[in-house]
Amino acid sequence: MDVMETNSNEDNQYYNAKKRVKEIKGFYGNLISYLIFNLFFLVLNLVTSPDELWFFWPLLGWGLGVFFHGMRVFNYAPFFGKEWENRKIQELMEKEQQSKSKWE
């Protein structure tokens, strides 16, 4: 391995780590805003119309979004995670190679 390959490897690792930190930071930002806004919706609902509990709808809808975002960021989702993306990319590359070899 020469110096150029080592630098390229380190650059790729740095880029991937930076991208991962950005994804995690985005998830926690989404989670914090979810908690703050839904607390506001709860208070607003109980003050304005306590007979109708409408704050459950944004709580549920946005909560599902936060849940799936967390699944994707922390690689718990089989259909949304990076492993699935990498497998799909590899599959498409292999299909392209096979189609090129057929025509050569």
Side-chain angles (χ1 to χ4, degrees):
M1 204 179 249
D2 64 353
V3 175
M4 292 298 283
E5 287 180 30
T6 304
N7 286 342
S8 177
N9 244 356
E10 289 174 359
D11 288 343
N12 285 340
Q13 288 175 342
Y14 176 77
Y15 173 75
N16 289 338
K18 191 173 180 179
K19 185 178 174 185
R20 178 89 173 117
V21 166
K22 188 175 181 180
E23 289 174 352
I24 292 171
K25 204 170 152 184
F27 168 72
Y28 284 121
N30 192 3
L31 180 63
I32 289 169
S33 62
Y34 167 76
L35 294 172
I36 290 170
F37 275 96
N38 279 300
L39 181 62
F40 171 74
F41 290 150
L42 170 68
V43 171
L44 181 66
N45 183 197
L46 294 178
V47 168
T48 59
S49 58
D51 296 336
E52 298 178 32
L53 299 178
W54 54 261
F55 79 93
F56 281 117
W57 297 112
L59 183 79
L60 178 65
W62 196 350
L64 283 172
V66 170
F67 174 74
F68 285 118
H69 188 187
M71 295 278 284
R72 185 178 50 84
V73 168
F74 296 111
N75 293 325
Y76 292 122
F79 300 111
F80 302 115
K82 296 291 181 193
E83 292 177 21
W84 177 84
E85 289 177 10
N86 290 336
R87 282 195 314 263
K88 195 64 175 174
I89 289 169
Q90 193 68 26
E91 177 185 322
L92 292 173
M93 287 172 57
E94 288 173 4
K95 282 183 182 179
E96 186 176 321
Q97 284 295 93
Q98 289 173 357
S99 68
K100 281 183 181 179
S101 65
K102 285 181 182 179
W103 296 104
E104 291 179 358

